[in-house]
Amino acid sequence: MAEASRPPVLEQMEVALAGNDASRWSDKIPVRDRITLLLDPGTWVEDGLLANATEDGLAADGVLTGVGEVHGRKVAVIAHDFAVKAGSWGALNVEKQVRILERADRDLLPVFYLVDSAGGRLTDQYGFFHGRRGASRIFQLQVALSGRVPQICCLHGPSAAGGAYMPAFTDWVGMVNGNASMYLASPRVAEKVTGERTTLEEMGGAMMHASVSGCGDEVFDTDWEVVAAARHLLAYLPDSWERAPSRQEPRAPAHHDWPADLIPEDPQAGYDVREVVDRFVDADSFFEVKARWATEMVVGLARLDGDVIGIVANQPSVRSGAIFVDSADKAARFISMCDAYNIPLLFLQDVPGFMVGAAIERQGIIRHGAKMVTAMASAEVPKITVVLRKAYAAGYYAMCAPGFEPRATLALPGAAIAPMSPEASTNAIYAKRIESIADPDEREAFVAEKIAEQSVGADLVNVASRLVVDAVVPPLQLRAELVDRFRAAAGWRRPPPRRHHVISPV
């Protein structure tokens, strides 16, 4: 496994959290110190402290629950105590978690989960597993809260067996490298059942989940860093689905220039789309989500002149920015989260299309792509699309083409929109003719001529003249254009309900 690098988000956060000097905290922090780091000073109000007080070694039954404040906002907290029976779930432990989630449901409180649990306490299985107030009730409440209030998970240690689903039901999971893990069965159990020999890091470690499975959003080196990131993330989210994220003082972008080679003219050449993002969002405001997973797609939250937006962008520096199975899922989930929390969406297109071939079809690219399109088409928040360089094939549709009702489709000068690239369409139309030309020079000249003809159809002036794009925007004016257009949509309201929900593709 590769070592965790320092996530960019840490450069944005407070040096001191809630008035505490982070440098004094060790790698593994006791549970009450984690809560101290998370919450504003003096705001913690605990419930159920005396749970199992008559039992030796079961202080608070291994979990702390209560309410406090983050940035002056009321939040609910569940924090497993790894020093008490490895944070395992028993009857009262589960009851405390159920009660605080029920309160969060009633009062619409964001929930922070500080997870560090070995799973169910098998010596108390009838207490935590079977009944109506058992662990299944925790998951039912998490699902009920999903999309109603933010749920943010700091995974400090294990999240084992059925308890591994607790992080999975939250909106964001930060994991501590070397300590955090998620797994349905330990390596020992897996070997017993399947004969497979593996390690905990390979099967459920932080880097694996952040870069391979997609279950983790980011990896951090220490406990305090993941808590700091969680505090920072809440600033981008509203208290509940009924509200919008709060506005902050605007900041100018980190870069005011636009180098000529920032987006290369060659549509095959790669570049880092985050360099583009940095030139129009408020300085140091981009909070990337799942940065290590499906890296051909970049998603994250940012501020645009003080207001929160969600960004979905193709990444040309990775696999040409084509959409794969995982990147479709990554985009779909992020879009759904933004729509749930009233966060407008910006789509940055530089996409050759969905990946093609026998292997990707067997993986279900059509099914996964349909999930992305469904999430994008269902999103009711204001959407704006910008074609940075190219927008080809069904990737153009999935990245919010005009038919999906963006408030506007904008394009930078030189952008191209077409069902295929000129090279691909030339081959599709003239394949037999090309094969029939024996002379190599004549064949090359013919192909070049037809590519030039096909390029005319994708030319920006041509598509703009047919109202495919609403405006061609010079790069240095992009920020101002986006600010004006999102502000113009600020008075949007959701339409009245028309049905329960779409039927999501498998």
Side-chain angles (χ1 to χ4, degrees), residues 283-301:
D284 301 322
S285 72
F286 186 51
F287 188 106
E288 190 169 354
V289 174
K290 297 189 185 299
R292 301 171 190 268
W293 183 59
T295 52
E296 65 275 5
M297 183 76 72
V298 172
V299 302
L301 302 168

Side-chain angles (χ1 to χ4, degrees), residues 41-112:
T43 63
W44 174 235
V45 180
E46 187 172 350
D47 295 327
L49 173 61
L50 298 179
N52 250 333
T54 59
E55 295 291 326
D56 290 339
L58 284 174
D61 207 55
V63 66
L64 309 186
T65 59
V67 171
E69 294 182 8
V70 173
H71 308 306
R73 298 161 57 184
K74 291 288 185 186
V75 300
V77 178
I78 290 175
H80 301 134
D81 189 350
F82 65 89
V84 177
K85 296 288 186 181
S88 57
W89 294 9
L92 295 182
N93 180 299
V94 168
E95 178 64 21
K96 288 174 67 174
Q97 295 185 76
V98 166
R99 289 187 185 188
I100 195 63
L101 291 175
E102 288 174 337
R103 179 173 177 184
D105 188 49
R106 288 193 304 268
D107 299 342
L108 288 181
L109 299 176
V111 184
F112 283 85

Side-chain angles (χ1 to χ4, degrees), residues 70-354:
V70 173
H71 308 306
R73 298 161 57 184
K74 291 288 185 186
V75 300
V77 178
I78 290 175
H80 301 134
D81 189 350
F82 65 89
V84 177
K85 296 288 186 181
S88 57
W89 294 9
L92 295 182
N93 180 299
V94 168
E95 178 64 21
K96 288 174 67 174
Q97 295 185 76
V98 166
R99 289 187 185 188
I100 195 63
L101 291 175
E102 288 174 337
R103 179 173 177 184
D105 188 49
R106 288 193 304 268
D107 299 342
L108 288 181
L109 299 176
V111 184
F112 283 85
Y113 301 82
L114 308 185
V115 176
D116 196 340
S117 172
R121 197 177 301 156
L122 296 180
T123 56
D124 192 11
Q125 61 180 286
Y126 285 103
F128 82 86
F129 186 73
H130 298 81
R132 290 178 178 240
R133 304 288 290 185
S136 60
R137 174 65 174 158
I138 293 175
F139 303 143
Q140 194 276 337
L141 286 163
Q142 285 190 277
V143 173
L145 287 165
S146 180
R148 297 182 69 234
V149 298
Q151 298 184 82
I152 299 173
C153 177
C154 299
L155 191 48
H156 298 275
S159 183
Y165 284 103
M166 174 171 273
F169 291 129
T170 65
D171 301 319
W172 181 87
V173 181
M175 302 180 71
V176 179
N177 197 42
N179 291 334
S181 59
M182 282 187 277
Y183 52 88
L184 295 180
S186 68
R188 183 172 58 185
V189 172
E191 182 178 359
K192 185 74 172 177
V193 173
T194 69
E196 177 188 25
R197 290 191 174 186
T198 186
T199 67
L200 184 58
E201 281 298 313
E202 289 175 333
M203 188 170 70
M207 287 301 296
M208 189 285 288
H209 279 305
S211 61
V212 180
S213 78
C215 292
D217 285 273
E218 190 51 273
V219 178
F220 301 87
D221 289 328
T222 63
D223 277 359
W224 78 261
E225 289 176 325
V226 69
V227 172
R231 275 180 60 89
H232 189 64
L233 172 58
L234 186 66
Y236 292 84
L237 302 174
D239 288 338
S240 75
W241 67 283
E242 296 177 330
R243 301 183 181 182
S246 62
R247 176 174 167 77
Q248 292 187 357
E249 282 296 314
R251 293 201 300 268
H255 304 284
H256 299 278
D257 63 335
W258 194 288
D261 60 350
L262 182 64
I263 300 179
E265 288 187 14
D266 179 0
Q268 307 300 321
Y271 65 92
D272 189 347
V273 74
R274 288 169 295 200
E275 292 289 332
V276 175
V277 171
D278 283 346
R279 282 166 167 77
F280 66 82
V281 302
D282 294 8
D284 301 322
S285 72
F286 186 51
F287 188 106
E288 190 169 354
V289 174
K290 297 189 185 299
R292 301 171 190 268
W293 183 59
T295 52
E296 65 275 5
M297 183 76 72
V298 172
V299 302
L301 302 168
R303 290 191 180 274
L304 180 67
D305 202 42
D307 293 316
V308 178
I309 62 170
I311 295 174
V312 181
N314 307 115
Q315 177 57 292
S317 66
V318 180
R319 302 202 278 194
S320 300
I323 302 173
F324 286 72
V325 166
D326 284 345
S327 46
D329 286 353
K330 176 179 176 176
R333 188 180 191 279
F334 180 76
I335 291 166
S336 295
M337 184 186 78
C338 288
D339 187 52
Y341 297 131
N342 307 312
I343 298 172
L345 285 160
L346 174 64
F347 294 84
L348 301 179
Q349 293 206 21
D350 195 338
V351 59
F354 283 88

